[in-house]
Amino acid sequence: MPRAIFEENAGRDDEIFQLAISDLSLNDDILQSEKITHSVKLIEPNNPFQAVQEACELMNQGILALVTSTGCAAASALQSLTDAMHIPHLFIQRNGDGAPRTACQLNPSPDGESYTLAARPPVRINDVLLTLVSELHWQKFIIFYESDYDIRGLQTFMDQASRLGLDVSLQRVDRNVSRVFTDLFNTMRTEELNRYRDTLRRAVLLMSPRGAQVFIHQAVETNLASKDSHWVYANEEVSDADIMELVHSSLGRMTIIRQVFPLWRDTNVRCMRNNHRISSLLCDPQEGYLQSLEVSNLYLYDSVLMLANAFYRKLEDRKWHSMASLNCMRKSTKPWNGGWSMLDTIQKGRISGLTGMMDFRAEGSNSHVQFEILGTSYSETFGKDVKRLASWDSTRGLNGSLKENRIESGMQGVTLKIVTLLEEPFVMVAENILGQPKRYKGFSIDVLDALAKILGFKYDIYQVGDGKYGSELPNGSWNGMIGELIGKRADLAISAITITPERESVVDFSKRYLDYSVGILMRKSEENINIFSLLAPFDLAVWACIAAAIPVVGIMIFLLRRIQAVRCQSNAGGHPPPSVSTSLQSAIWIVYGAFVQQGGDSILGSVALRIVMGSWWLFTLIVCSSYTANLAAYLTVSRMDNAVRSFQDLSKQVDLVYGTVRDSAVYDYFQAKGTNPLEQDSTFAELWKTINKNNAFENSVSSPSEGIKKVKRESYAFLWDMAVVEYAALTDDDCTLTVAGNGMSTRGYGMALQHGSPYRDLFSQKILELQEKGDLDILKQKWWPRKGRCDLQSHADAQPEGRALRLHSFAGVFCILAAGLLLALLVAALETWWNSNHCRREQPKEDKEVNLEQVHHRLNSLLDEDLAHKQLPGQSIEISALDIGSMQPSQSLEALSTRDYPAYRGPPRLSVTTFLQEGHHGAGRTLGAATGRTLPLPLSSATMPSIRCKHRAPNGGLFRQSPVKTPMPMSYQPVPGGPIPEASEPSHGTSI
């Protein structure tokens, strides 16, 4: 679609044009996937006829717009053709010889409708020169220009200088510069040379960089240049290397005027323009390709971008025109009927490209241009130092000061007007006395007072009206304290003002007196106390399944043991083994004991029981191991101090809302980082998305004080200067704030001065001296003490020292233990209450209590009756009531004697201990003799109910042992052959 014509000696024009088309092809959202076609024609320099021929051939192929980069002669011919054919023509003026550019004198359109648009701004260097000589108060000076320079470009300048009463001389310099100075010495007398040398003290050079270097070198060699001379070199295209060559060649003061593109300084957004991604070759200075390009190359790239923007809006409005196919050699050829519509679309567009802002709303030309003024000073040593003195743009004019005086040592008698902004702890209002001017205090005020004491100046201070530090507005002006300096209403601005490239382009800064970084202010994390945190390793569903598994496995074991007991009972003749318990509660108890790894009663059972228990033990092992691992991880994470320690942590979390101050340097910092397509880390993109939510009105605030209050009031993180948020956290009344963020400093706080201020170097020198002496460290410790009202360091270092688990982490365990103990006491009380009521219902009115001596007497009388028939060994055999209760009814004393004492045949003595195990009652027990006769011991609950309920021994028996009496041994003499008489009625038996 776009067609181009370039001169053959402009090798980079074709290359840049192809690169622009390639970048557009990679951006589908610009031309909505439309195929981009282009054609390029090369012509000889200054050949208008060839230019018209090539343009006619391009029109015959089909054309929407024409882009050309030629000299003035070819441009004038192409203008006539495009005006006649109604083809939009974007023209970039070239100046290949390196001499300063002069405006092309294009032909006026016959019908007043010009289709040629000048992409390169009109020549404004004459306006800059006139402003500069007026600022320097030059009344007489000379202008040297090369033979290639079109002197008609100076006509406007000479007219304006004449009206101002300036004495301006013009002198043409031939290519052979040495011959010029030789002719001067040959034709001028000594007096004339001295006057000429005085004229050379103030000179303007309109030459190519190479020609200017030769001219300065010859002037120094011939002793025509003096140390007090001041030369101005003006050229739109001059590189940094050329500037250093000129400065080193000159003897006195040197001032350089050149065109600049301020957007190059913005390292974050320079590769993205109007949703169009620019090749890294053109936006990354480290590639080195950008420095090798001419200014015309940059305007050519932006012209292609402007056409693409116009085509996109045509497609969007559905007003697309078919390409014009015209034969300009025929007289009957009619102009393109869509030309005026396309031209109007281009003129209404605006883009931001490599050269800055571009539009054609000012009489068909791009009016946006900016120059910078660089300079040196008088002294021989300082003269080698090049610094930026001021800037000039088409909107605001000169910004800065070009005064030649430089203060060397002191500022006695000087009163500075200082603008400030309240920001704790940099600038704060002190206690003021009624009727007297406001007094201020703070870190920045202390630094200012120290400098005033050293340099001897005084100052008047006032607060900025809009309460802002300073940012560039859409119309190019600045607000805040920077605007006060640009408007020359203040000499110096001081507060927590950071040094940024954007601000340095319009004002001067002293050396930094404090490092700067962005911090995160937030509330200290309140530790959530959960006494049942030990249950956290498992989900509630897992705990429910484990709780359900215990009774299920217990029931399984109960059923298997019951089956085993029935089988054993049938094998043992109807008597189950006494050691096997088949109750359900015992089975569940065994399962629970295995789960808590405390063992349990041994299960002498079948293979099925062993399989069940083996599976349960494996399950228990896995569950306990998983619980231990998860518990350790949970307690480790829960001991962490703050989840947010950096910007990366802040961007990943969703619980904490964060923001900063709208239209501030921090806001611009996150905007530039978050919208930079070359930023590989997505951290700043996520941060910017949250900060700029709802156009920054939802999460961001209007002032730092509002942000600090919002942190205290709600769950909010405030992104601001680290020094400010640290002071806010140190002086917080409740000590509930903490600070996180990156401590690395890439910027600093400085004092802002007017552009070209004579005080900048002096202030920077004294600030460096204060740093070397340690005075700045003392002032910093005053306002940011290590141990202030709140100790931020202790909160930050709490984690390494606090690795021990606190009580609340184990409170749940103690709660479970306390609940178990309370439950046990409650069950014991219920059992006691239940047994007491049950015993009172069963107890008869008589025999409330049985004397143990009566029981002993009854047992001895029964045993003495058969003493002559039974003979026990001489050794006493003690049989407790527990042993008696465990005997089978058929078991005899003889069997007992034979089992325990098989070799002894003496008379036996039997000692019966009167403590019976609870539960063994209600049945008559007999002590059998050697002959198989039995001694009945009827142990009936009916005869002594009160003993079972009321009188418990400490060891679990039913009788209470008297503290005075001891169990009485009963001597038993067996009677051979005689049976032991059985108790025939209840009164003859002993109820135990």
Side-chain angles (χ1 to χ4, degrees):
M1 291 178 289
R3 310 301 184 193
I5 296 177
F6 305 133
E7 293 182 347
E8 292 177 350
N9 60 351
R12 289 294 176 88
D13 283 345
D14 185 22
E15 186 178 337
I16 294 299
F17 184 77
Q18 300 288 349
L19 187 59
I21 297 296
S22 176
D23 289 345
L24 287 173
S25 302
L26 297 177
N27 291 268
D28 296 335
D29 55 340
I30 294 183
L31 293 181
Q32 301 177 357
S33 302
E34 291 287 337
K35 184 179 179 181
I36 303 176
T37 60
H38 64 281
S39 180
V40 177
K41 298 292 184 179
L42 300 179
I43 63 173
E44 296 178 358
N46 297 322
N47 192 337
F49 179 74
Q50 185 184 6
V52 172
Q53 279 186 323
E54 298 294 348
C56 287
E57 184 177 346
L58 291 176
M59 291 179 186
N60 193 23
Q61 296 175 2
I63 191 171
L64 289 175
L66 179 65
V67 180
T68 64
S69 176
T70 62
C72 291
S76 180
L78 290 172
Q79 180 208 12
S80 300
L81 177 63
T82 54
D83 287 348
M85 295 299 173
H86 292 186
I87 301 298
H89 174 210
L90 269 68
F91 163 61
I92 299 99
Q93 182 184 357
R94 289 197 71 253
N95 198 20
D97 55 6
R101 183 171 63 103
T102 57
C104 291
Q105 305 297 326
L106 300 180
N107 301 322
S109 302
D111 53 359
E113 296 179 357
S114 176
Y115 284 81
T116 298
L117 304 175
R120 192 166 182 177
V123 179
R124 303 296 300 272
I125 200 165
N126 293 339
D127 299 331
V128 183
L129 278 174
L130 189 62
T131 305
L132 187 142
V133 296
S134 300
E135 185 75 11
L136 295 177
H137 303 291
W138 284 6
Q139 296 296 324
K140 183 180 180 180
F141 58 92
I142 185 172
I143 298 178
F144 293 95
Y145 63 95
E146 284 182 328
S147 56
D148 296 334
Y149 180 77
D150 189 354
I151 196 174
R152 292 178 297 176
L154 288 174
Q155 184 63 45
T156 305
F157 175 80
M158 297 299 293
D159 293 341
Q160 293 175 343
S162 177
R163 285 194 294 268
L164 294 176
L166 303 180
D167 184 3
V168 183
S169 303
L170 297 176
Q171 183 170 343
R172 183 171 176 265
V173 179
D174 294 331
R175 293 184 180 273
N176 191 352
V177 179
S178 59
R179 194 179 68 178
V180 174
F181 288 97
T182 303
D183 293 342
L184 289 176
F185 280 96
N186 293 333
T187 57
M188 290 185 180
R189 296 188 299 271
T190 305
E191 296 178 358
E192 293 176 342
L193 283 175
N194 290 335
R195 288 195 298 269
Y196 187 75
R197 184 181 291 110
D198 184 66
T199 304
L200 285 179
R201 291 179 62 251
R202 304 288 181 264
V204 177
L205 307 181
L206 297 177
M207 304 177 181
S208 64
R210 178 60 184 167
Q213 293 174 17
V214 175
F215 180 84
I216 293 174
H217 179 73
Q218 291 292 329
V220 173
E221 288 290 328
T222 56
N223 201 24
L224 289 177
S226 59
K227 291 184 178 180
D228 62 345
S229 63
H230 185 183
W231 288 2
V232 176
Y233 176 73
N235 196 334
E236 290 178 327
E237 301 187 51
V238 55
S239 64
D240 294 340
D242 293 334
I243 291 175
M244 296 308 299
E245 289 289 339
L246 293 172
V247 169
H248 286 291
S249 300
S250 64
L251 188 60
R253 183 180 180 186
M254 193 77 187
T255 300
I256 297 99
I257 302 173
R258 68 172 178 178
Q259 186 179 357
V260 291
F261 307 103
L263 287 179
W264 286 6
R265 300 178 181 272
D266 195 340
T267 59
N268 297 302
V269 298
R270 62 188 174 210
C271 289
M272 202 71 180
R273 300 286 189 277
N274 305 97
N275 297 325
H276 167 69
R277 186 176 184 126
I278 299 175
S279 173
S280 60
L281 286 173
L282 297 175
C283 65
D284 190 357
Q286 295 181 356
E287 296 285 346
Y289 184 77
L290 191 62
Q291 285 75 10
S292 64
L293 298 179
E294 298 176 357
V295 173
S296 59
N297 301 143
L298 303 179
Y299 280 108
L300 174 60
Y301 187 97
D302 288 351
S303 299
V304 178
L305 187 59
M306 172 66 82
L307 286 180
N309 180 267
F311 296 159
Y312 169 77
R313 284 184 287 115
K314 277 289 186 182
L315 290 171
E316 193 176 35
D317 297 340
R318 302 184 182 275
K319 296 180 180 179
W320 185 256
H321 299 279
S322 59
M323 288 193 300
S325 181
L326 306 173
N327 189 348
C328 56
M329 298 302 178
R330 292 181 181 178
K331 295 182 179 179
S332 60
T333 302
K334 294 182 179 181
W336 181 34
N337 56 4
W340 179 253
S341 176
M342 181 63 70
L343 178 68
D344 184 64
T345 304
I346 297 174
Q347 285 182 316
K348 291 181 179 179
R350 172 179 287 187
I351 65 163
S352 176
L354 295 176
T355 59
M357 193 66 65
M358 174 182 282
D359 60 47
F360 300 105
R361 301 176 184 180
E363 299 179 356
S365 63
N366 179 22
S367 61
H368 301 281
V369 63
Q370 182 176 358
F371 293 88
E372 70 174 354
I373 302 174
L374 308 173
T376 60
S377 72
Y378 273 118
S379 63
E380 185 176 357
T381 57
F382 192 76
K384 305 304 179 182
D385 183 23
V386 180
K387 61 181 179 179
R388 184 173 182 173
L389 302 177
S391 64
W392 187 98
D393 59 62
S394 55
T395 304
R396 295 166 296 182
L398 183 67
N399 176 28
S401 176
L402 301 176
K403 295 179 181 179
E404 297 187 19
N405 59 319
R406 178 173 178 264
I407 301 175
E408 298 291 342
S409 57
M411 298 171 58
Q412 287 79 9
V414 177
T415 301
L416 299 178
K417 195 169 186 179
I418 299 177
V419 62
T420 188
L421 175 65
L422 298 181
E423 183 77 87
E424 296 182 353
F426 290 88
V427 179
M428 298 178 288
V429 178
E431 295 182 0
N432 294 307
I433 302 175
L434 186 63
Q436 294 186 3
K438 279 188 177 181
R439 300 189 59 187
Y440 297 89
K441 64 179 182 179
F443 176 72
S444 297
I445 299 299
D446 288 348
V447 175
L448 182 63
D449 290 338
L451 293 176
K453 183 178 180 180
I454 296 174
L455 297 174
F457 65 88
K458 298 180 181 180
Y459 61 87
D460 295 328
I461 192 168
Y462 70 98
Q463 296 183 33
V464 64
D466 58 3
K468 295 184 179 298
Y469 285 97
S471 59
E472 189 174 5
L473 301 177
N475 60 2
S477 61
W478 286 73
N479 58 10
M481 292 189 292
I482 302 297
E484 296 290 307
L485 294 175
I486 294 175
K488 294 182 172 55
R489 292 181 291 272
D491 300 314
L492 184 143
I494 189 168
S495 185
I497 182 169
T498 55
I499 305 172
T500 63
E502 295 78 15
R503 291 172 178 170
E504 269 195 311
S505 65
V506 293
V507 297
D508 285 345
F509 277 95
S510 67
K511 295 292 184 182
R512 67 171 70 178
Y513 58 87
L514 183 67
D515 291 333
Y516 165 86
S517 62
V518 179
I520 307 172
L521 180 68
M522 53 192 170
R523 291 180 63 88
K524 292 179 180 178
S525 58
E526 297 179 358
E527 193 172 4
N528 296 324
I529 298 177
N530 183 12
I531 61 175
F532 294 105
S533 60
L534 297 179
L535 301 178
F538 287 163
D539 189 57
L540 183 61
V542 178
W543 285 116
C545 292
I546 293 174
I550 293 176
V552 170
V553 178
I555 293 173
M556 184 69 180
I557 293 176
F558 165 72
L559 294 176
L560 292 177
R561 294 184 69 176
R562 178 58 63 89
I563 295 172
Q564 178 187 359
V566 172
R567 187 172 60 250
C568 293
Q569 183 176 2
S570 62
N571 294 337
H575 300 283
S579 61
V580 179
S581 176
T582 59
S583 64
L584 177 61
Q585 61 181 4
S586 64
I588 296 178
W589 180 255
I590 290 172
V591 174
Y592 177 75
F595 178 75
V596 296
Q597 299 182 349
Q598 296 300 319
D601 297 339
S602 61
I603 301 177
L604 301 176
S606 61
V607 177
L609 276 172
R610 295 179 181 179
I611 293 175
V612 172
M613 290 306 299
S615 302
W616 177 251
W617 288 337
L618 180 61
F619 170 81
T620 301
L621 176 64
I622 296 174
V623 170
C624 292
S625 300
S626 302
Y627 176 81
T628 303
N630 285 356
L631 180 63
Y634 172 79
L635 293 177
T636 301
V637 173
S638 63
R639 288 200 306 267
M640 292 182 64
D641 190 15
N642 261 324
V644 178
R645 296 182 179 274
S646 62
F647 291 144
Q648 288 77 9
D649 297 336
L650 189 64
S651 64
K652 293 176 182 177
Q653 58 84 38
V654 294
D655 299 329
L656 195 63
V657 180
Y658 48 89
T660 184
V661 177
R662 291 185 292 270
D663 299 327
S664 63
V666 179
Y667 181 86
D668 295 338
Y669 169 77
F670 283 106
Q671 180 182 13
K673 297 282 286 184
T675 57
N676 183 14
L678 300 181
E679 189 73 34
Q680 297 180 354
D681 191 1
S682 61
T683 298
F684 288 95
E686 294 295 331
L687 291 174
W688 173 244
K689 187 185 301 181
T690 303
I691 292 173
N692 197 41
K693 191 174 182 180
N694 194 13
N695 292 327
F697 283 98
E698 183 170 339
N699 295 332
S700 295
V701 295
S702 59
S703 64
S705 58
E706 181 184 350
I708 296 173
K709 293 178 182 177
K710 192 172 183 180
V711 172
K712 297 179 181 180
R713 188 173 59 249
E714 55 190 84
S715 179
Y716 181 77
F718 182 51
L719 307 177
W720 196 238
D721 299 359
M722 178 67 79
V724 178
V725 296
E726 271 190 2
Y727 180 80
L730 286 170
T731 58
D732 182 40
D733 295 334
D734 301 326
C735 293
T736 57
L737 303 181
T738 186
V739 178
N742 188 4
M744 296 182 63
S745 175
T746 57
R747 301 185 194 174
Y749 298 97
M751 298 181 180
L753 303 97
Q754 293 181 11
H755 225 326
S757 173
Y759 311 124
R760 186 193 68 168
D761 297 328
L762 195 58
F763 272 60
S764 298
Q765 178 185 355
K766 299 307 177 183
I767 287 175
L768 292 176
E769 292 179 3
L770 292 176
Q771 288 178 344
E772 291 178 357
K773 295 178 181 178
D775 294 340
L776 289 181
D777 293 334
I778 296 174
L779 294 177
K780 184 179 179 181
Q781 181 62 28
K782 172 185 175 182
W783 294 101
W784 290 277
R786 294 186 179 91
K787 299 293 183 181
R789 180 188 303 172
C790 304
D791 192 358
L792 300 181
Q793 198 66 25
S794 64
H795 182 71
D797 299 339
Q799 184 182 358
E801 300 176 359
R803 297 194 180 276
L805 293 177
R806 299 179 181 178
L807 178 60
H808 63 76
S809 299
F810 272 90
V813 178
F814 290 102
C815 290
I816 294 174
L817 176 61
L821 296 178
L822 293 176
L823 182 62
L825 293 176
L826 179 61
V827 172
L830 290 176
E831 283 184 347
T832 303
W833 175 79
W834 175 261
N835 291 334
S836 299
N837 292 340
H838 187 67
C839 290
R840 280 196 293 269
R841 288 195 300 266
E842 294 181 355
Q843 182 178 0
K845 295 182 179 180
E846 63 276 4
D847 290 339
K848 295 291 183 178
E849 189 171 339
V850 177
N851 195 338
L852 293 178
E853 294 182 1
Q854 295 179 359
V855 176
H856 286 285
H857 180 70
R858 176 61 177 166
L859 288 175
N860 288 330
S861 63
L862 290 175
L863 294 175
D864 287 343
E865 292 180 358
D866 204 15
L867 191 59
H869 305 284
K870 299 290 181 181
Q871 295 293 329
L872 293 177
Q875 183 178 355
S876 176
I877 300 174
E878 286 195 8
I879 301 177
S880 67
L882 301 177
D883 296 329
I884 297 174
S886 63
M887 290 182 181
Q888 298 295 331
S890 61
Q891 195 171 355
S892 63
L893 283 175
E894 183 180 3
L896 178 64
S897 177
T898 305
R899 183 183 72 240
D900 295 336
Y901 306 95
Y904 186 75
R905 292 292 184 267
R909 292 191 305 271
L910 179 63
S911 176
V912 181
T913 305
T914 59
F915 296 102
L916 296 185
Q917 186 176 357
E918 183 179 3
H920 297 283
H921 55 269
R925 301 296 184 186
T926 60
L927 300 177
T931 60
R933 298 173 183 176
T934 60
L935 174 65
L937 296 175
L939 306 177
S940 172
S941 61
T943 57
M944 24 187 331
S946 63
I947 297 176
R948 180 171 59 89
C949 299
K950 291 288 186 177
H951 308 286
R952 293 178 179 268
N955 59 352
L958 294 176
F959 289 103
R960 180 180 60 209
Q961 183 175 355
S962 174
V964 195
K965 306 294 182 177
T966 57
M968 295 176 293
M970 296 180 295
S971 300
Y972 174 69
Q973 300 296 330
V975 180
I980 300 176
E982 296 183 3
S984 58
E985 50 183 315
S987 60
H988 293 164
T990 303
S991 296
I992 301 177

